[in-house]
Amino acid sequence: MGIEPGQFYRPHGSLRIDYKKSLNPQQLAAVTAPDGPALVIAGAGSGKTRTLTYRVAYLIERGVPPDQLLLLTFTNKAADEMMNRVKLLLGAQIVCPWGGTFHSVANKILRQHSHLIGYNNNYTILDREDSLDLVKACLKELDVDIKPKVGPRAEVITEIISKAANTAASIEQTIQNEYPYLTPYISLIKQTSALYEQKKRESNLMDFDDLLVKCKLLMEEFPEILRHYQERFQHILVDEYQDTNKLQSELVDLLASRHRNIMVVGDDAQSIYGWRGANFENILTFPSRYPGTRIYRIEYNYRSTPEILAVANASIANNPVQHRKKLTPIRPAGKKPTLIICRDPIQQAWFIANKIREFRETGLRLADIAVLYRSHFHAMEVQLELTRAGIPFVITSGIRFFEQSHVKDVTVYLKLLVNPRDELAFRRLTLMLPGIGPKTFDKLWRAYLSKLEALKGPECQNGPSNDTNSRSQAWESLPEVLAAISNHVPSPSKTEWAKLVGLFKTIQALGPQLTPAPIIRKIMEAYLDNYIRLTYSNYLQRLEDIDELIAYAEQFKSTNDFLAQLALLTNLESEETLIATYATDAVRLSTVHQAKGLEFEVVFLIMLCDGLFPNARAMGIPGGLYEERRLFYVGITRAKTHLFIFYPECRRSPGSQGLETLEISRFLSEIPWELFEVLDLRSYNTPGFYSSFVSS
DNA sequence: CTGTCCACGGTTTTT
DNA sequence: CCGTGGACAG
Ligand SMILES: Nc1ncnc2c1ncn2[C@@H]1O[C@H](COP(=O)(O)OP(=O)(O)OP(=O)(O)O)[C@@H](O)[C@H]1O
């Protein structure tokens, strides 16, 4: 850390930053707010994030040590960028160790104390797929006793368990409120949930929700720890507060309840994570939860032209008013947004590629251009067309880089090293071996567990086993334990098993530091390189990915840190760790969700068809349509200067060769078209259109 | 008990 | 059109 408390303290009146010059009076008031609860509620592009950034700088200048700030943001990158900005403002290196997402901060806390709540501090974090696999394993196990072959799918059960956790509700309540048709299965789902919980404990695993749930539990059950963090965090700042859920707000409330130095920032009209339990009531009820809250409104928009803002406002006016906000554009008049009616996604993509070329010729950076959409697969044709046109782009796909199966093939070895009780890791690892299926895995796992326990006695609960001594006992016995159970391995697989044991011996020989990069190299050499070549058709690409993984791993001394980082990086962030995409200037293709908080000179908002955007399934749930409309609002307000909105009249029907006609999105038909420059491309014979595709 | 082959179902958003 | 899960043969 190396930052002395008060290092940046300057007596009042001699602050380094000229706050008045960089901020408008409303922003300034929020930045220089006195201690105590504060709410900044303002529309899109009004400088909320900027205000929070200056607030951080201000607090540091006034003598608050950076390591006593808790800065909660929607992505880790957002926190990093804020701190970079603060660094520039103050002209000094600042590290804010407690800045990041709720999940990464909770993880940091739990790594110190989770032994108190029945976990080992070297627990493994499950990603979504891991959680689903574990739930499936639970269902399989339960099937022995109960026999409902029909019933909710594992995906739905996982969703319910997660929803319950995030809304701080019981499984029953969640089913009754949001999945009433599953009422007959309440007891099955509860059993599954209980078994899931038990398995996680036994295997020392935490899913994303556990990071928050267990952190809160820790604070509730250990007042002295709560006290410690309450005192540690002199000031709490939360960005994008409208998208926090009950669990998160309760956690923050706990931490803030002592000193009440909390500033939350957000816009209820931009709440787009309700499906994940986020509740914009959090921001609306903040003042009543914190009596004496100072409310700051910012009523100017610095980002967009008045014409773009007019479209956004016309759209959101169709939602019931939540919190009335004025928003006056600062920028001078520009061009009306263009509404493009086109035949199909191919024509849409063709138009976008052409426009991008035009913008590039005017000297605009590609990174200032974004194509935004509701669902990942909407970007299909745009991807093809941009590739064909040789226009570089980066796309944030649905699966994160580190969730791809070949990457996980590598990381399971590390996971088992760090946390030998990880059932999921052990399973994936054994199932990779030829001749070993689910049954053999079962036998091996049982034998493995009992050997592990016998060898080491009860699991070491030796106080905070932080990263540097995660090497302690566990992994040392791994080769021995694996060798000891080889009698359960069917004979055709014995040589492979011996290789596995050999691999772990080799790793052991690397020494006790457990540095990830060399270990991965050994794994590849000994085994996986070959496995990947044999398993995947596009193995060259995949092996390149592994090289990237190793390059990324070089930054880490500790495997435990490395694994936690992989799990906690958001989608966007993990894409950016790819060296290839890092440096080049490229157009951004992204879902609207992932574009939250970003801004671009040019935005193409595509696939505005009823059923797609708004999404048909989202409209089935209460408030769903409103949230879709907020999503549209977020999409529009990412644009600074140029906005293009597309309605393609048809698309290829899913699964077959036919064409499906699509109605125009109600988000377009419900607002006055005088706000747009309307461009109808349907009669233009642009290249490559579906019907010609279909017939050829 | 494992591995392969086929049929079916299904495309929302993510830490 | 793609991945997953279930049926069956080796
Ligand atoms: N006082 C100001 N003077 C000049 N530019 C400003 C000012 N305040 C904000 N801006 C600019 O306006 C743009 C939007 O700011 P910012 O991203 O902080 O808004 P926001 O309210 O967080 O937006 P959103 O909620 O839509 O993500 C940024 O480019 C920022 O630099």
Side-chain angles (χ1 to χ4, degrees), chain A residues 23-41:
Chain A
L23 301 166
N24 72 34
Q26 296 174 327
Q27 294 170 333
L28 182 69
V31 165
T32 57
D35 288 359
L39 165 66
V40 180
I41 187 161

Side-chain angles (χ1 to χ4, degrees), chain A residues 205-431:
Chain A
L205 306 169
M206 293 214 200
D207 64 23
F208 285 129
D209 304 327
D210 285 324
L211 294 175
L212 305 177
V213 172
K214 300 294 189 288
C215 190
K216 182 165 161 252
L217 187 77
L218 180 75
M219 298 300 166
E220 286 166 344
E221 297 202 341
F222 296 87
E224 69 283 5
I225 292 192
L226 175 60
R227 179 86 172 240
H228 171 259
Y229 285 100
Q230 284 175 331
E231 270 156 24
R232 152 126 251 155
F233 301 136
Q234 294 283 308
H235 286 266
I236 299 178
L237 305 108
V238 190
D239 200 7
E240 308 279 10
Y241 192 70
Q242 76 280 356
D243 271 323
T244 53
N245 59 41
K246 186 121 183 273
L247 183 55
Q248 292 167 327
S249 67
E250 286 179 355
L251 187 57
V252 169
D253 288 351
L254 271 174
L255 290 171
S257 61
R258 173 166 293 265
H259 53 59
R260 305 203 329 144
N261 290 333
I262 174 170
M263 175 176 278
V264 302
V265 166
D267 176 7
D268 50 296
Q270 292 187 66
S271 168
I272 55 177
Y273 282 88
W275 50 274
R276 187 173 97 176
N279 190 350
F280 60 77
E281 291 295 328
N282 279 347
I283 196 167
L284 299 181
T285 61
F286 186 86
S288 56
R289 296 207 321 281
Y290 288 86
T293 294
R294 290 191 170 76
I295 301 178
Y296 300 91
R297 297 187 176 80
I298 313 171
E299 298 172 312
Y300 301 95
N301 174 296
Y302 288 88
R303 179 183 294 144
S304 311
T305 62
E307 290 80 2
I308 291 171
L309 215 51
V311 173
N313 287 333
S315 177
I316 204 69
N318 290 286
N319 267 8
V321 178
Q322 295 170 0
H323 182 96
R324 191 168 297 284
K325 284 186 288 290
K326 220 174 88 187
L327 200 57
T328 310
I330 291 286
R331 293 189 52 181
K335 279 184 61 184
K336 279 187 189 175
T338 313
L339 170 59
I340 295 122
I341 302 170
C342 50
R343 254 179 337 241
D344 55 32
I346 296 219
Q347 196 179 38
Q348 174 181 264
W350 169 85
F351 183 88
I352 290 172
N354 276 321
K355 266 291 165 208
I356 291 176
R357 277 199 208 92
E358 279 177 32
F359 280 120
R360 187 164 57 177
E361 273 155 29
T362 68
L364 192 75
R365 290 185 320 141
L366 294 179
D368 283 327
I369 304 176
V371 181
L372 305 181
Y373 36 84
R374 174 68 235 275
S375 314
H376 290 292
F377 73 96
H378 296 165
M380 198 63 215
E381 290 81 1
V382 176
Q383 282 185 70
L384 292 174
E385 184 60 29
L386 292 185
T387 308
R388 216 179 55 83
I391 299 170
F393 63 92
V394 282
I395 181 160
T396 50
S397 61
I399 32 159
R400 290 133 92 195
F401 176 75
F402 302 116
E403 280 172 7
Q404 299 177 95
S405 62
H406 54 289
V407 176
K408 287 185 129 191
D409 288 342
V410 179
T411 52
V412 281
Y413 288 86
L414 302 181
K415 284 187 180 174
L416 200 69
L417 276 170
V418 168
N419 173 23
R421 279 149 64 198
D422 185 340
E423 179 178 346
L424 284 174
F426 187 84
R427 184 168 65 178
R428 187 175 187 120
L429 201 137
T430 47
L431 290 182

Side-chain angles (χ1 to χ4, degrees), chain A residues 22 27 44-50 270 302-303 597 599 638:
Chain A
S22 322
Q27 294 170 333
S46 56
K48 294 185 295 297
T49 303
R50 183 187 181 100
Q270 292 187 66
Y302 288 88
R303 179 183 294 144
E599 56 186 18
R638 298 310 93 198

